[in-house]
Amino acid sequence: MAAEEGAMSPTRMLAEGHLRVATGGGAPADGGIAVRHLPHHHPAKKDGVGGITEQDNHEDVDSLPSQELKKLANGNNKVPGTLDDYKRLVVPIVEEYFSTGDVELAASELRGLGSDQFQHYFVKKLISMAMDRHDKEKEMASVLLSSLYADLLSSCMISEGFMMLLESIEDLTVDIPDAVDVLAVFIARAVVDEILPPVFLARARALLPEFSKGIQVLQVAEKSYLSAPHHAELVERKWGGSTRFTVEEAKKRIQDILREYIESGVIDEAFRCIRELSLPFFHHEVVKRALTLGMENISSQPLILKFLKEAAAGCLISSNQISKGFSRLAESVDDLSLDIPSAKDLFDKLVSTAISEGWLDASFSKSAVSEEEMQNTSAEKVKHFKEESGHIIHEYFLSDDVPELIRSLEELSAPEYNPIFLKKLVTLAMDRKNREKEMASVLLSSLSLELFSTDDIMKGFIMLLQSAEDTALDIVDAPSELALFLARAVIDEVLIPLNLDEISSRLRPNSSGNQTVQMARALLSARHSGERILRCWGGGTGWAVEDAKDKITKLLEEYNTGGDLGEACRCIRDLGMPFFNHEVVKKALVTAMEKQNDASILALLQECFGEGLITINQMTKGFTRVKDGLDDLVLDIPNAQEKFGAYVELATGRGWLLPTFASVP
């Protein structure tokens, strides 16, 4: 398999739609057929972080110790703490799926991993592994993506996964000569299956270098496949495709089965016909069409409710498919209101009945709460949340203790108000010194990995931008500061450039907020923008980042040549950059490897940790940065990996590292 590289991913686009059927050149091992999704606008689930440089070797699986695998299997470490963990664990899932064709098993194992923020990598890994195999596996990969859409993979994750593939196509072609054409088919298939919006091609083209192979992929997808006569059928049959039903045929059969049931009332016959379709991952369409018929013909509601209740009780239709069918109808209820004026009231009653009878998860009513309804919920609760958030943020500015802040935020048990927290954080930081602004950006990066979805972060920035004119009355340079926060979020991969487009689309044209987004774009498009934006607040003290690094290097060199432990700690404290102490940890560990002076350096880290000078969060971040750079370090320090392993063992024993830190095998 080719080594893949996903540097800073410029994706995570919102897509709309769904679907597809069957396996490729052969049927799944269990004899059944898989199914693709029909178009619908499903609310995106929690998204994760942007692309990260990857080594995409199959040997990753072998490098995971068997004990660690057992821990993960037994639930002792259910959620991979890092992308490296996740990479190792998804490979066997994909391999097993290619062997068995069992979509349900693959979905269950992926769900068991958790780590929604890394699922763009699953998309990339699945397709890149299929690209190097036969048509059967290529078809199976497309079917699996379509089956997992919305249930486990959000449109943003699928878009980002494809963008990462486009960015790494140069490497893929080394081992897969026809990689350009194969990836073009995958993209065209995703568009036809409506799990990737057609606009993805235009947006991706704008983000790729003009003469790159990624551009070639998009051109082939558009001209050779999506623009061809009868392109949908052409793309669907490219790898063997379905030998049973087209989407429209499946929808028509479901409609006929339900109408016949309403006329006859014979439920067993209806169940038999649904079962014979062999489309378990398409049962959400059964639910949606049944509910729609019940709303169109009130007299048929008792039969419809009986049908759905017994189908759920008999496990003919899974609870997941039931919820998905209700979700799809919820998204189209406004359109239904044109033909059925009381559609919303009728739908609400159906939801209430289904929940009360126990065949629709009670959480559905919570997830169906609209953004407007969320904003109109208990003013008292919102007021309390804002007050508590203010206390938590003030405490963080004093302590720089990210884990403690996350614990406090979790204790509030109000994830629906995450955007409000973000707005409060940035507003308070804008009215303070550079140190607090830097800390706010650092915190946003941590929250995007731990608690906040991309949607939470986007909503928070939208709230900030909508009130930008009011904020400017108290903070004169608020627009420019907010533009820097937005640009920094992109550089830190908390957001991606395409998120700025969506944020802008939800603001009034020519408003102050929209102008601020344009300022952020301008900052990002400037030469050396990454370096400039990263040091826009000088690490919090007005210094450039490189100056701070230089000071850290000098104090470590002085300490290493016989300096005093207390003096070294004082110098670190005098830097006044607690949120940048991960650099101290990183440079200290590298110095220990180079100078062969482990004891002295480790004593310094122990003293800093013991005094609370370097927090567990900063310590973990420093170790992680060294781990990420080990491949380069071994070129100069042959025993770097062995040394680092010993440091990790010592640090773990002394409690320096967070439990989520994954040691190097």
Side-chain angles (χ1 to χ4, degrees), residues 545-555 557 583 587:
V545 171
E546 291 305 318
D547 291 340
K549 288 181 178 180
D550 187 53
K551 288 179 181 289
I552 291 169
T553 300
K554 287 179 178 177
L555 78 86
E557 286 177 351
E583 180 71 15
K587 285 192 177 293

Side-chain angles (χ1 to χ4, degrees), residues 273-345:
C273 292
I274 294 294
R275 196 173 286 111
E276 283 183 354
L277 288 176
S278 298
L279 302 174
F281 282 92
F282 199 38
H283 283 169
H284 55 81
E285 178 70 13
V286 177
V287 177
K288 180 191 174 188
R289 288 190 174 267
L291 293 171
T292 303
L293 286 172
M295 292 164 66
E296 290 173 343
N297 182 2
I298 302 297
S299 63
S300 69
Q301 273 197 17
L303 281 172
I304 292 296
L305 290 171
K306 178 185 178 184
F307 173 85
L308 292 174
K309 181 179 179 181
E310 293 191 18
C315 298
L316 174 62
I317 302 179
S318 70
S319 59
N320 189 51
Q321 291 289 309
I322 292 280
S323 294
K324 193 170 176 182
F326 270 89
S327 294
R328 291 186 58 205
L329 188 58
E331 290 155 7
S332 61
V333 77
D334 290 338
D335 294 331
L336 271 176
S337 298
L338 300 175
D339 300 315
I340 310 171
S342 58
K344 191 172 189 313
D345 291 336

Side-chain angles (χ1 to χ4, degrees), residues 210-231:
E210 186 175 357
F211 299 107
S212 67
K213 286 189 182 294
I215 293 291
Q216 292 179 31
V217 172
L218 297 173
Q219 290 171 341
V220 173
E222 189 168 24
K223 295 179 180 177
S224 300
Y225 296 108
L226 294 174
S227 299
H230 311 293
H231 70 274

Side-chain angles (χ1 to χ4, degrees), residues 3-41:
E4 303 169 9
E5 183 174 322
M8 286 178 58
S9 174
T11 48
R12 197 156 315 146
M13 253 180 293
L14 291 177
E16 299 175 345
H18 261 196
L19 175 79
R20 180 63 237 175
V21 290
T23 65
D30 60 3
I33 75 169
V35 61
R36 63 179 184 187
H37 297 283
L38 281 177
H40 72 275
H41 307 290

Side-chain angles (χ1 to χ4, degrees), residues 5 46 59 90 115 127 218 244 249 251 271 279 352 381 406 448 450-451 482 515 541 548 552 594 599 624:
E5 183 174 322
K46 186 174 177 180
E59 295 81 34
V90 296
S115 300
I127 294 174
L218 297 173
R244 302 260 331 250
E249 288 171 345
K251 290 162 77 171
F271 285 171
L279 302 174
S352 178
K381 184 178 179 182
I406 289 174
S448 72
E450 302 267 353
L451 289 180
L482 191 48
Q515 291 170 9
T541 63
I552 291 169
E594 291 175 338
T624 301

Side-chain angles (χ1 to χ4, degrees), residues 447-458:
L447 290 175
S448 72
L449 292 171
E450 302 267 353
L451 289 180
F452 286 16
S453 68
T454 300
D455 197 46
D456 289 335
I457 294 167
M458 285 172 55

Side-chain angles (χ1 to χ4, degrees), residues 121-425:
Y121 177 79
F122 175 80
V123 176
K124 178 185 177 185
K125 189 68 175 176
L126 171 68
I127 294 174
S128 62
M129 289 176 67
M131 287 172 68
D132 202 23
R133 298 189 178 216
H134 298 296
D135 285 355
K136 174 176 177 282
E137 285 80 7
K138 295 182 178 78
E139 175 68 18
M140 291 174 71
S142 287
V143 168
L144 183 60
L145 279 184
S146 192
S147 299
L148 298 180
Y149 180 82
D151 291 331
L152 284 174
L153 299 175
S154 70
S155 58
C156 295
M157 287 295 176
I158 291 175
S159 295
E160 184 178 3
F162 273 106
M163 194 68 205
M164 291 170 68
L165 284 159
L166 288 168
E167 292 167 342
S168 60
I169 191 65
E170 306 277 351
D171 293 330
L172 287 170
T173 53
V174 174
D175 293 328
I176 310 170
D178 60 344
V180 169
D181 187 70
V182 175
L183 183 55
V185 178
F186 268 111
I187 289 175
R189 175 63 177 271
V191 172
V192 168
D193 287 351
E194 297 184 309
I195 63 173
L196 196 65
V199 73
F200 170 85
L201 279 75
R203 291 177 176 172
R205 188 179 292 110
L207 296 168
L208 292 167
E210 186 175 357
F211 299 107
S212 67
K213 286 189 182 294
I215 293 291
Q216 292 179 31
V217 172
L218 297 173
Q219 290 171 341
V220 173
E222 189 168 24
K223 295 179 180 177
S224 300
Y225 296 108
L226 294 174
S227 299
H230 311 293
H231 70 274
E233 184 177 356
L234 169 69
V235 172
E236 288 175 356
R237 307 288 182 182
K238 179 69 176 176
W239 295 315
S242 166
T243 58
R244 302 260 331 250
F245 307 122
T246 64
V247 177
E248 291 306 316
E249 288 171 345
K251 290 162 77 171
K252 186 177 184 304
R253 289 188 183 217
I254 290 169
Q255 186 82 348
D256 291 343
I257 291 168
L258 292 171
R259 289 192 183 281
E260 186 176 337
Y261 163 67
I262 291 172
E263 291 174 6
S264 68
V266 182
I267 198 168
D268 290 340
E269 177 64 14
F271 285 171
R272 184 187 66 78
C273 292
I274 294 294
R275 196 173 286 111
E276 283 183 354
L277 288 176
S278 298
L279 302 174
F281 282 92
F282 199 38
H283 283 169
H284 55 81
E285 178 70 13
V286 177
V287 177
K288 180 191 174 188
R289 288 190 174 267
L291 293 171
T292 303
L293 286 172
M295 292 164 66
E296 290 173 343
N297 182 2
I298 302 297
S299 63
S300 69
Q301 273 197 17
L303 281 172
I304 292 296
L305 290 171
K306 178 185 178 184
F307 173 85
L308 292 174
K309 181 179 179 181
E310 293 191 18
C315 298
L316 174 62
I317 302 179
S318 70
S319 59
N320 189 51
Q321 291 289 309
I322 292 280
S323 294
K324 193 170 176 182
F326 270 89
S327 294
R328 291 186 58 205
L329 188 58
E331 290 155 7
S332 61
V333 77
D334 290 338
D335 294 331
L336 271 176
S337 298
L338 300 175
D339 300 315
I340 310 171
S342 58
K344 191 172 189 313
D345 291 336
L346 289 171
F347 178 71
D348 289 342
K349 288 177 183 177
L350 288 170
V351 170
S352 178
T353 300
I355 291 175
S356 65
E357 292 182 353
W359 50 276
L360 177 63
D361 196 307
S363 64
F364 176 83
S365 60
K366 297 176 184 176
S367 64
V369 175
S370 68
E371 184 178 336
E372 182 179 356
E373 289 171 326
M374 185 195 86
Q375 292 172 351
N376 293 332
T377 50
S378 171
E380 197 60 39
K381 184 178 179 182
V382 174
K383 181 181 178 183
H384 173 72
F385 181 83
K386 287 181 177 179
E387 290 175 353
E388 290 299 315
S389 295
H391 297 321
I392 292 171
I393 293 166
H394 284 298
E395 180 67 27
Y396 167 66
F397 284 156
L398 292 173
S399 67
D400 182 38
D401 194 337
V402 175
E404 179 59 31
L405 180 141
I406 289 174
R407 280 193 293 272
S408 300
L409 197 53
E410 286 176 331
E411 286 173 4
L412 290 181
S413 299
E416 67 272 25
Y417 296 144
N418 285 347
I420 295 175
F421 180 88
L422 186 149
K423 180 184 178 185
K424 187 81 171 176
L425 171 67

